[in-house]
Amino acid sequence: MANHKSSEKRIRQTQVRNLRNRYYAKTARNAVRKLRATIVKEEAAALYVKVSSMLDKLAKKNVIHKNKAANLKSKLALHVNKL
């Protein structure tokens, strides 16, 4: 258990951030799954713009690593272009 006020506050902040980051990361994973399941090119292209923006924002906030975001965007772009 923490002994200092500042460390108690830090624990509270970490818990809140952890929940928030988990929520956004899970939302992004679901969006990626939805895009991969899409087989209509027009829908996939529209969805790709939103998903790539979401991944960029998560990478900017360090929820996911920037290289992971780049790899996902690359794979998704290949998927959309194959349709």
Side-chain angles (χ1 to χ4, degrees):
M1 189 62 202
N3 293 322
H4 296 279
K5 245 185 167 177
S6 61
S7 57
E8 289 173 354
K9 179 178 178 182
R10 181 57 69 189
I11 289 169
R12 287 196 308 269
Q13 288 175 328
T14 304
Q15 288 172 341
V16 169
R17 287 192 182 120
N18 192 337
L19 285 173
R20 187 181 308 132
N21 289 344
R22 253 188 6 210
Y23 169 76
Y24 286 122
K26 184 68 174 176
T27 304
R29 278 198 304 273
N30 288 339
V32 168
R33 283 192 197 108
K34 184 177 178 186
L35 177 55
R36 283 191 178 134
T38 306
I39 54 174
V40 179
K41 185 169 179 118
E42 291 77 23
E43 289 178 21
L47 198 56
Y48 175 73
V49 174
K50 292 179 184 174
V51 172
S52 64
S53 171
M54 186 185 301
L55 291 172
D56 284 336
K57 287 176 187 171
L58 290 178
K60 185 178 179 183
K61 294 179 181 177
N62 289 324
V63 176
I64 60 173
H65 196 272
K66 64 177 184 168
N67 289 352
K68 181 177 177 69
N71 288 337
L72 283 171
K73 285 169 44 180
S74 172
K75 296 276 175 141
L76 293 173
L78 284 173
H79 171 71
V80 171
N81 289 332
K82 274 186 192 175
L83 295 176

